[in-house]
Amino acid sequence: MRITFDAVKRQKTLAERGLDFADAAIVFAGVTLEIEDRRRPGGAATTARRA
């Protein structure tokens, strides 16, 4: 999977939340499970890493 991100948003998120988009490849390198969020109408699919 090719992951791209905006450098400005990366720096903002890193400063505000301590999350680095550059680590996304590590997060998604393992087994993932995609589930549909049905809490609200039109819920978006979410992806979570299986531990």
Side-chain angles (χ1 to χ4, degrees):
M1 172 187 336
R2 183 168 180 245
I3 299 173
T4 60
F5 49 83
D6 181 276
V8 174
K9 289 181 182 179
R10 174 186 176 221
Q11 289 301 323
K12 181 178 179 185
T13 303
L14 185 57
E16 291 177 355
R17 301 179 183 196
L19 299 173
D20 192 345
F21 293 165
D23 294 335
I26 296 168
V27 173
F28 292 104
V31 176
T32 59
L33 172 67
E34 187 171 315
I35 57 173
E36 184 178 354
D37 183 351
R38 295 184 178 192
R39 292 177 290 182
R40 289 178 273 191
T46 56
T47 303
R49 184 165 189 238
R50 181 180 170 204

